Each structure stands twice: as structure tokens, then as C-alpha cells.
């Protein structure tokens, strides 16, 4: 019964958010609460939620201070040289812009933190997507899939969890997987190229000067995007009113005359998100900020301190040095408050979902059912089975739940048929391209929030491409004899 209710709870949640009948926060809270009552454990709901909040509180703290830290670094111009290089390559060509999104996301993903990757990628690319009326879900989909492949780095999380769960060395898992992961990353670049060509055919190709001079037109909606408001629109990329990505219809002439000027002003402000003349720039402190960021990322990789503590210290130091006056500090914190509140709220709402899923025993029963459903004849191919199961299980479960709850059972079943735990561990990484778009991954809410894209739209667009990328990684692993 718990197995059926567990799958029903997940299915209900996904249907409601993808059909936009409920907001993600409301669905993450109310659906598990109702199912907790349905299984007769309503009296324990409070305990489950508190346990879930306790487990995710460090993640929420990390995201809160990471948003402030990297928001300040974007404000002061640390990433402007990288952005200029990407924009120079893109030249207002939709195909190059989408490929540039994939390349930038893959490069920044080397730090092992998804929220960092999404903040930097969206900050750099969002103005071009808006100005050229490109589909914003293309940006979020490509960035999430690229980050998912790179998330398998030893310091990214899944590899370390697999190594810990099966008592293996992380390097023994990761290094042989490099060729397969390289094929997965190549698949992301090919996907970006194909999607970029599609956008180029829809929109045409302009020079950057033509894009800047082009008169904005009302946008027919094909991709719904949420709205965000705030202060400081001229010096902050994410301020102003969000709009939908463009589609293939035609706009109303009446609305063009009435609202064209207002829309043009908003687009111009958003396109100047990395304005070289914005007042928050600190060129004299560039090398200090670069050194501080390098030291922070090094400390993260070497695990010198817990990541939330590192970002807390980094955010406090960055604010103090770059904006020594209290009014300026308050202004910077206020400029990023919307993102902090949205993301932290989503994390704590997800804590209700994961707390109920785990506390009621649904996760355990679902995992046992899935493993038990594997035919005995598939035992010698348990690595392939693990790779295939990693797609849905890491999407519907947290990485902790999969790697510490399910993977040891799969490894034990494989060992009974002579399959090495190393092969099982490597195969378990195949689903990470899909996992990064899971509603249980806090970083994805940073991505869709900053891009002003509805989570349901992102899910509908991204899942099919992420599944394809994961299957490429799995097939390459089999082809190269890694698993």
C-alpha cells in the first residue's frame, strides 16, 4: 500500500505543477500532508516535517548565502570578462548563444555547485535571450542538462555518495567514467547546436548592433514565465518584469502602440544587466574578488569547512570589503532578497515532501518494490539495470535516498551474479543529467527563478532531452566496457 501511495503522491505532485494547477511551493507542502493523513500517520506529520527541515537546513543556508555572494560578485564585475568573451563568440546568433550557454554552464560546473553554475550562466545569458526573444526554456534546459553531466565530478556529490555507500574509492569510480561522461557532454553540445539552429530558423540571425537597435515587439506566448519585481533594475540583471519567451504567433497592433514603449524600456534595462558603467562595479578590487572566489572554491573542493559556513563567511567578507558603507550593503542585500526568499522557501517546502516520503516509509517500500521487480535473469546485467533505474529513481528521490538506500541493495544483488560493485557505482551516475531537473533539487529553483520560467514549463521541455543525454552516458559506458 505504501508503495502505491508513494508513486501516487509523486505522480499527483508532478501533474499539478506541470498543468499549473498549483504552485511548486503549495504542491510540495499540501500534497505530502494529505498523503501523510491518507496513510494514517497524520499525527506524525509534524515530526516528519521537522526532520526534513533539519536535513535540508544546511542546503537552504548554503543557497541563501551563495546567492548573496555570487550576486555581489556579479554586481562588482568579477564575471564581466567571461561574459564579454561569451557574448563576443555569440554575436547575437541564436545558435551560438545556445551553444555558448552549454559551454558556460559546463565550465562553471567545475566548482561542483549547481546553484553557482545557474546564477552565473543565467546572469550572463538572460539579457541576450530576452533581447532576441529566444525561448527561455531552451536556456534553462541546456544549462540544467550540462550541469547534470558535470555534477558527476568527485566533489560534486553523487560520486562521493556512491563511493561512501559502497565503501569504494571515488577516483576508482570517476576516472574510468571520463570517456562516457565526455560523450554525455558532447551530446549536450550537439543538443545545444540543434536547438540553436531551430531558434535561428525561427528568429533569424542578427549582428549584436542590430539586436541592440531592433525595436522590441509584443511577444506571443509559447513559454510561460513568472514575473519578478524589485528595485535597482538598471544595475541588476534579474530586476524588472519577466516576460514569456517568444513564440510563432503575431502580436496585437493595439497593444504594440499602447505598451511598446514600456516593454522597450524594460527590455533595455534587462539587456543592460551587465552594464559596464553600472555603479556597483569595483574594478580596483577585481583581483581581491577573484582571489577570494578562488580561495572559496578551493576550500569547497578540499572540504576544509562545511559549504554553508564557507559561503556565509565569503558573503560577509565580500559585502564588507566591496561595500563598506551600511546603506550600500543594505541595498545589495535587498537587491538579492527576492531570489533568496524564493529559493529558501522552495527548499523548506521540499523538506515537507522529502520528510513525509522518508518518514512514512514510502521511499523504502518503493525502492524494495523496484529492486524486487528486476527479473532474476537480469542479474548478470545488473550494472545496466542500475543505470536504467538511476534515471527515474534519482529524479523522484533525493541523491541521498538513492545512493544510501537503493544502491547498496542493487550492489548486493549484482554481487550475487558476479557484477563488481565498481560497475554498479559507475552505472548509478548515468541518471544525473535528469536528476538536476528534479523537483527535489534546490538548485533548479535558482535556475527557473532567475530565468523567470515556470517550473512546469522547464520540466516539460527538459526531461526528454535529459533522459536522452543520460542514455548516451549509459550507452557509452557499456560501449567502452566501463560497466
Amino acid at each position: 500500500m505504501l508503495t502505491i501511495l508513494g508513486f501516487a503522491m509523486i505522480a499527483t505532485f508532478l501533474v499539478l505543477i506541470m498543468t499549473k494547477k498549483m504552485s511548486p511551493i503549495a504542491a510540495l507542502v499540501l500534497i505530502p500532508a494529505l498523503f501523510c493523513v491518507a496513510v494514517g500517520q497524520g499525527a506524525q506529520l509534524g515530526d516528519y516535517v521537522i526532520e526534513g527541515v533539519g536535513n535540508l537546513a544546511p542546503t537552504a543556508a548554503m543557497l541563501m548565502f551563495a546567492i548573496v555572494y555570487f550576486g555581489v560578485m556579479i554586481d562588482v564585475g568579477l564575471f564581466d570578462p567571461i561574459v564579454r568573451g561569451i557574448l563576443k563568440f555569440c554575436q547575437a546568433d541564436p545558435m551560438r548563444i545556445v551553444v555558448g550557454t552549454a559551454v558556460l554552464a559546463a565550465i562553471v560546473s567545475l566548482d561542483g555547485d549547481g546553484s553557482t553554475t545557474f546564477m552565473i550562466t543565467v546572469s550572463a545569458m538572460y539579457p541576450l535571450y530576452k533581447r532576441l526573444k529566444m525561448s527561455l526554456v531552451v536556456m534553462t534546459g541546456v544549462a540544467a542538462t550540462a550541469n547534470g553531466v558535470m555534477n558527476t565530478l568527485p566533489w560534486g556529490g553523487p560520486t562521493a555518495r556512491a563511493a561512501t555507500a559502497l565503501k569504494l574509492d571515488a577516483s576508482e569510480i570517476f576516472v574510468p567514467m571520463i570517456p562516457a561522461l565526455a560523450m554525455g557532454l558532447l551530446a549536450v553540445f550537439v543538443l545545444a547546436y540543434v536547438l540553436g539552429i531551430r531558434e535561428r530558423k525561427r528568429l533569424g540571425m542578427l549582428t549584436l548592433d542590430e539586436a541592440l537597435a531592433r525595436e522590441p515587439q509584443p511577444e506571443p506566448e509559447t513559454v510561460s514565465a513568472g514575473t519578478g519585481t524589485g528595485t535597482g533594475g538598471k544595475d541588476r540583471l534579474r530586476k524588472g518584469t519577466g516576460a514569456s519567451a517568444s513564440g510563432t504567433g503575431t502580436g496585437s497592433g493595439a497593444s504594440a502602440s499602447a505598451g511598446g514603449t514600456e516593454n522597450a524600456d524594460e527590455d533595455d534595462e534587462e539587456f543592460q544587466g551587465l552594464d559596464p558603467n553600472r555603479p556597483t562595479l569595483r574594478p580596483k578590487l577585481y583581483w581581491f574578488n577573484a582571489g577570494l572566489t578562488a580561495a572559496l572554491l578551493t576550500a569547497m573542493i578540499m572540504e576544509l569547512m562545511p559549504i554553508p559556513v564557507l559561503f556565509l563567511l565569503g558573503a560577509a567578507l565580500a559585502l564588507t570589503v566591496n561595500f563598506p558603507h551600511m546603506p550600500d550593503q543594505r541595498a545589495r542585500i535587498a537587491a538579492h532578497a527576492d531570489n533568496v526568499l524564493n529559493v529558501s522557501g522552495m527548499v523548506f517546502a521540499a523538506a515537507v515532501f522529502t520528510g513525509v516520503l522518508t518518514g512514512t516509509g514510502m521511499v523504502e517500500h518503493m525502492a524494495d518494490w523496484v529492486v524486487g521487480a528486476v527479473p532474476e535473469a537480469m542479474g548478470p546485467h545488473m550494472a545496466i539495470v542500475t543505470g536504467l533505474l538511476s534515471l527515474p529513481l534519482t529524479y523522484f528521490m533525493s541523491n541521498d535516498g538513492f545512493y544510501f538506500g537503493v544502491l547498496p541493495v542493487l550492489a548486493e544483488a549484482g554481487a550475487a551474479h558476479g557484477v563488481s560493485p565498481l560497475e554498479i557505482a559507475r552505472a548509478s551516475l548515468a541518471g544525473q543529467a535528469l536528476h538536476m531537473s528534479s523537483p527535489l533539487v534546490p538548485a533548479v529553483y535558482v535556475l527557473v527563478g532567475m530565468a523567470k520560467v515556470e517550473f512546469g514549463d522547464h520540466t516539460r521541455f527538459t526531461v526528454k532531452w535529459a533522459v536522452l543525454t543520460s542514455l548516451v552516458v549509459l550507452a557509452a559506458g557499456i560501449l567502452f566496457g566501463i560497466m
Side-chain angles (χ1 to χ4, degrees):
M1 179 61 71
L2 284 176
T3 301
I4 296 173
L5 287 174
F7 283 116
M9 185 174 86
I10 293 171
T12 302
F13 167 75
L14 290 174
V15 168
L16 287 174
I17 63 170
M18 291 178 69
T19 57
K20 301 180 186 177
K21 300 298 184 183
M22 294 183 73
S23 69
I25 287 183
L28 284 168
V29 173
L30 296 179
I31 299 305
L34 290 174
F35 273 84
C36 185
V37 173
V39 300
Q41 300 186 36
Q44 286 77 46
L45 177 62
D47 295 333
Y48 298 155
V49 172
I50 293 300
E51 183 178 357
V53 169
N55 291 334
L56 288 182
T59 299
M62 183 273 290
L63 289 174
M64 288 170 62
F65 290 106
I67 288 172
V68 173
Y69 179 83
F70 283 103
V72 169
M73 291 297 114
I74 292 167
D75 291 338
V76 300
L78 177 63
F79 302 108
D80 283 18
I82 298 175
V83 172
R84 283 195 294 268
I86 294 290
L87 297 184
K88 184 177 180 180
F89 164 77
C90 292
Q91 291 296 318
D93 176 3
M95 184 274 289
R96 291 191 176 198
I97 290 172
V98 180
V99 172
T101 302
V103 172
L104 181 59
I107 292 173
V108 183
S109 294
L110 290 171
D111 73 343
D113 178 57
S115 57
T116 303
T117 299
F118 297 147
M119 280 188 282
I120 295 173
T121 302
V122 175
S123 296
M125 307 307 297
Y126 178 83
L128 278 178
Y129 279 81
K130 280 290 293 179
R131 189 64 174 186
L132 297 181
K133 309 263 190 283
M134 294 176 62
S135 173
L136 292 172
V137 290
V138 171
M139 177 180 66
T140 61
V142 168
T145 308
N147 179 252
V149 174
M150 297 296 289
N151 193 45
T152 53
L153 292 168
W155 54 87
T159 301
R161 287 180 175 90
T164 302
L166 301 183
K167 298 178 176 59
L168 301 170
D169 185 84
S171 63
E172 293 181 347
I173 299 174
F174 176 74
V175 174
M177 277 291 291
I178 291 177
L181 296 174
M183 293 301 296
L185 196 58
L186 178 62
V188 174
F189 294 151
V190 171
L191 169 64
Y193 176 79
V194 171
L195 294 176
I197 290 294
R198 185 183 300 176
E199 287 292 281
R200 180 196 282 175
K201 288 180 179 178
R202 184 171 69 87
L203 300 168
M205 190 174 88
L206 302 173
T207 66
L208 191 56
D209 290 338
E210 289 172 333
L212 285 167
R214 190 169 72 171
E215 183 71 20
Q217 298 295 328
E219 302 176 43
E221 297 185 6
T222 58
V223 179
S224 175
T227 59
T229 60
T231 60
K234 290 185 179 180
D235 65 300
R236 286 298 309 134
L237 172 66
R238 296 185 294 278
K239 300 302 170 187
T241 303
S244 300
S246 62
T248 57
T250 59
S252 165
S255 64
S257 61
T261 302
E262 181 180 349
N263 291 337
D265 291 342
E266 289 174 354
D267 281 348
D268 286 341
E269 285 189 358
E270 288 179 346
F271 195 76
Q272 295 301 322
L274 293 176
D275 180 3
N277 298 314
R278 62 191 186 275
T280 57
L281 288 177
R282 297 293 184 268
K284 294 182 179 179
L285 294 172
Y286 182 85
W287 291 111
F288 167 80
N289 290 315
L292 177 61
T293 302
L296 180 62
L297 297 181
T298 301
M300 286 172 53
I301 293 171
M302 297 178 65
E303 299 181 352
L304 297 181
M305 296 180 72
I307 293 179
V309 177
L310 289 172
F311 274 118
L312 191 156
L313 294 174
L317 187 57
L319 278 169
T320 302
V321 174
N322 288 283
F323 303 97
H325 301 296
M326 284 295 296
D328 293 334
Q329 291 184 17
R330 283 195 295 267
R332 288 302 91 212
I333 293 173
H336 305 291
D338 284 350
N339 284 326
V340 170
L341 180 60
N342 289 335
V343 172
S344 59
M346 201 72 70
V347 171
F348 287 122
V352 180
F353 194 94
T354 57
V356 170
L357 203 60
T358 303
T360 57
M362 291 181 186
V363 164
E364 184 178 354
H365 281 76
M366 291 163 64
D368 290 342
W369 179 83
V370 169
V371 173
V374 176
E376 184 70 20
M378 293 299 294
H381 308 289
M382 190 56 68
I384 299 175
V385 171
T386 299
L388 292 173
L389 288 178
S390 72
L391 273 72
L393 293 184
T394 58
Y395 185 81
F396 295 127
M397 300 170 61
S398 68
N399 269 342
D400 286 338
F402 174 72
Y403 285 103
F404 294 120
V406 179
L407 190 60
V409 179
L410 294 172
E412 185 177 346
H417 293 85
V419 180
S420 165
L422 276 172
E423 295 178 71
I424 299 292
R426 292 166 189 158
S428 71
L429 301 177
Q432 286 305 302
L434 176 61
H435 171 74
M436 285 310 297
S437 290
S438 165
L440 301 181
V441 175
V444 75
Y445 297 111
V446 177
L447 175 64
V448 298
M450 289 182 62
K452 301 184 180 71
V453 169
E454 293 289 346
F455 182 80
D457 292 327
H458 169 78
T459 300
R460 279 196 300 272
F461 178 82
T462 305
V463 164
K464 57 183 177 293
W465 303 117
V467 167
L468 180 61
T469 303
S470 294
L471 292 177
V472 168
V473 173
L474 179 60
I478 296 171
L479 182 63
F480 295 138
I482 300 168
M483 54 188 75

